[in-house]
Amino acid sequence: MKVNKTIIIGFLFILFAGIIFVTDIFNPIIRPITYLFLMGSSKGKDIIFFGLLGLFLILSQMFNRKSDDEKYLKISIILGGVLLISGILLEVIFRLQLGIGLNTVFCSMGKSMTSTSILHTHLLKSIFGGVLVNLLGPVIGNGINTGVGLYHYVPTFGFLVILLLPVLFITIVLSSQKRPWPTNFLLAFFSSCLLIGILDGGMFATPSYVGIIGLLLVYRNGYYINYILGRILNDEKLLEQNRLNPPIYGKYRPHDIKYLFNRFLVWFVLILFILLRFTIAFAGAETDYYTVDVVNPTGNIDLGNISVKVIDNETSLNKITYHIDPSYNEMELINDLKVPLNNSCEYYTVSWNVHSYFE
């Protein structure tokens, strides 16, 4: 593997990830940027993103010979989709096992408060985080949420699903060999987002959208991305390299239905993802009040300044149910509850109210 500009840039990204790990000095600069595509960016996400971005760029120069990159990219898209769908299935199985609603946010109050829901799952993250904690222990900083509080709730099926992650990583590396530099960088960027989204958020999370749609964009329209940039930059080397990689639907004429379908399929998929996400969120919303179930309380609970409408103490089920004013922002309520409920219960659930984000 000969050192070139791509490898040097990759090492710089990895070095930057290491700097973020040991200091917060760059947070005010990078956090507003990474927040846009990592959905609630955190120190842990930023470190993993820049580390993966650099690693993918370096590994894209691993082989001297070009592999069947389009075949491996197609496999990567399929594997990514399987992992995202499996994350949702895990959430459904996990909730059926515990007997809790599908339209709720589950908050574990174990070693640290960790939440998960169908709209933003952390179940696969908890498996990965559990492995990291066992391997690295105290090396992991306080700013990194590993999700281990959910670890013992994950269905056995989840431990099999997580094995697909290294397979996906390998197929992504094989799909990026000797590509033109614009699509090579985009593939590294989108792949980093996809891996983060699979572990932290799942199918309906922003990095998952960016990742899976981005891979599909490179697969379907990579030729045109390289061509446009080659023309803008007057880069003959890029244009020549791109001629050797025509689009998979290049045999069709531009006005043919099959050509238009293949060229613009990625945007239809994106719209479908967004519509599905909002349909589920609004269909499962509870607008009259928040239903908060506190399970296995350890003593008297005082919710402080949180406005409670109704309290139903189901002693036979060892559960207390609260109805809380719907004027609260959903995320703020979930975070506010963890203070009075800390060390006071096994877990609690909060019903969805997506409308609260628009008030």
Side-chain angles (χ1 to χ4, degrees):
M1 185 170 62
K2 185 179 179 181
V3 176
N4 55 29
K5 291 180 181 179
T6 301
I7 292 177
I8 293 172
I9 293 172
F11 274 117
L12 290 176
F13 277 124
I14 292 175
L15 177 62
F16 188 58
I19 294 172
I20 298 172
F21 181 77
V22 298
T23 179
D24 296 332
I25 191 172
F26 291 108
N27 284 358
I29 301 172
I30 64 172
R31 193 61 50 77
I33 299 172
T34 55
Y35 184 91
L36 297 175
F37 53 86
L38 293 184
M39 188 181 182
S41 179
S42 62
K43 181 175 181 175
K45 282 186 183 179
D46 291 341
I47 294 169
I48 295 171
F49 171 74
F50 286 107
L52 283 174
L53 182 59
L55 186 59
F56 278 130
L57 288 175
I58 292 170
L59 294 178
S60 70
Q61 309 301 302
M62 178 179 290
F63 302 117
N64 292 324
R65 250 185 350 177
K66 182 179 176 64
S67 60
D68 190 349
D69 51 1
E70 297 306 324
K71 180 184 79 173
Y72 288 115
L73 181 52
K74 184 177 181 179
I75 294 172
S76 299
I77 294 169
I78 294 171
L79 283 175
V82 168
L83 279 161
L84 292 174
I85 294 171
S86 297
I88 301 299
L89 290 176
L90 279 173
E91 281 284 344
V92 173
I93 294 170
F94 149 71
R95 288 161 187 281
L96 291 176
Q97 287 178 345
L98 285 184
I100 60 177
L102 297 179
N103 63 332
T104 59
V105 180
F106 175 91
C107 303
S108 169
M109 298 301 290
K111 295 180 181 179
S112 62
M113 186 276 206
T114 310
S115 64
T116 188
S117 73
I118 288 176
L119 294 178
H120 194 90
T121 178
H122 289 143
L123 292 183
L124 290 177
K125 175 184 177 179
S126 70
I127 302 174
F128 192 73
V131 174
L132 284 181
V133 169
N134 289 331
L135 291 176
L136 302 178
V139 176
I140 300 176
N142 292 329
I144 302 175
N145 185 347
T146 59
V148 292
L150 297 169
Y151 186 76
H152 65 282
Y153 292 105
V154 180
T156 306
F157 170 54
F159 296 88
L160 298 176
V161 171
I162 204 73
L163 295 177
L164 290 177
L165 266 180
V167 179
L168 174 60
F169 184 90
I170 292 169
T171 59
I172 288 172
V173 170
L174 292 174
S175 71
S176 64
Q177 299 303 308
K178 301 304 176 184
R179 283 181 176 271
W181 66 263
T183 45
N184 186 25
F185 180 83
L186 286 176
L187 189 56
F189 175 85
F190 293 136
S191 299
S192 302
C193 290
L194 178 60
L195 289 178
I196 290 172
I198 289 170
L199 290 174
D200 194 340
M203 185 173 179
F204 300 116
T206 300
S208 299
Y209 285 171
V210 173
I212 198 72
I213 298 300
L215 292 189
L216 189 57
L217 178 66
V218 173
Y219 180 65
R220 294 287 181 177
N221 293 335
Y223 172 86
Y224 296 100
I225 294 171
N226 294 322
Y227 178 79
I228 292 170
L229 282 175
R231 286 296 186 187
I232 293 173
L233 300 175
N234 196 24
D235 189 337
E236 289 297 330
K237 182 179 178 180
L238 172 59
L239 290 172
E240 180 59 32
Q241 188 180 12
N242 197 44
R243 289 189 193 101
L244 301 175
N245 299 278
I248 56 175
Y249 48 90
K251 61 183 178 180
Y252 302 119
R253 290 176 294 180
H255 60 273
D256 287 347
I257 296 297
K258 289 184 178 180
Y259 174 90
L260 295 173
F261 174 80
N262 280 276
R263 180 79 186 273
F264 299 106
L265 174 65
V266 59
W267 308 115
F268 292 118
V269 174
L270 175 60
I271 293 170
L272 179 62
F273 263 95
I274 294 173
L275 287 176
L276 182 60
R277 201 270 186 213
F278 280 100
T279 299
I280 293 175
F282 281 103
E286 188 173 34
T287 57
D288 294 335
Y289 46 76
Y290 288 101
T291 298
V292 177
D293 289 331
V294 180
V295 177
N296 291 331
T298 57
N300 293 327
I301 294 176
D302 181 7
L303 297 185
N305 296 325
I306 298 175
S307 178
V308 180
K309 285 188 173 183
V310 179
I311 300 177
D312 183 9
N313 193 343
E314 300 180 54
T315 54
S316 60
L317 299 177
N318 207 13
K319 179 177 73 173
I320 303 175
T321 299
Y322 298 90
H323 288 172
I324 294 177
D325 193 324
S327 63
Y328 283 101
N329 174 272
E330 180 186 310
M331 187 55 64
E332 291 178 0
L333 175 61
I334 291 170
N335 288 326
D336 287 347
L337 283 169
K338 72 180 181 182
V339 177
L341 295 179
N342 186 35
N343 296 320
S344 297
C345 65
E346 179 184 348
Y347 64 83
Y348 64 93
T349 63
V350 181
S351 58
W352 292 343
N353 184 9
V354 69
H355 299 273
S356 68
Y357 293 100
F358 300 97
E359 295 177 357

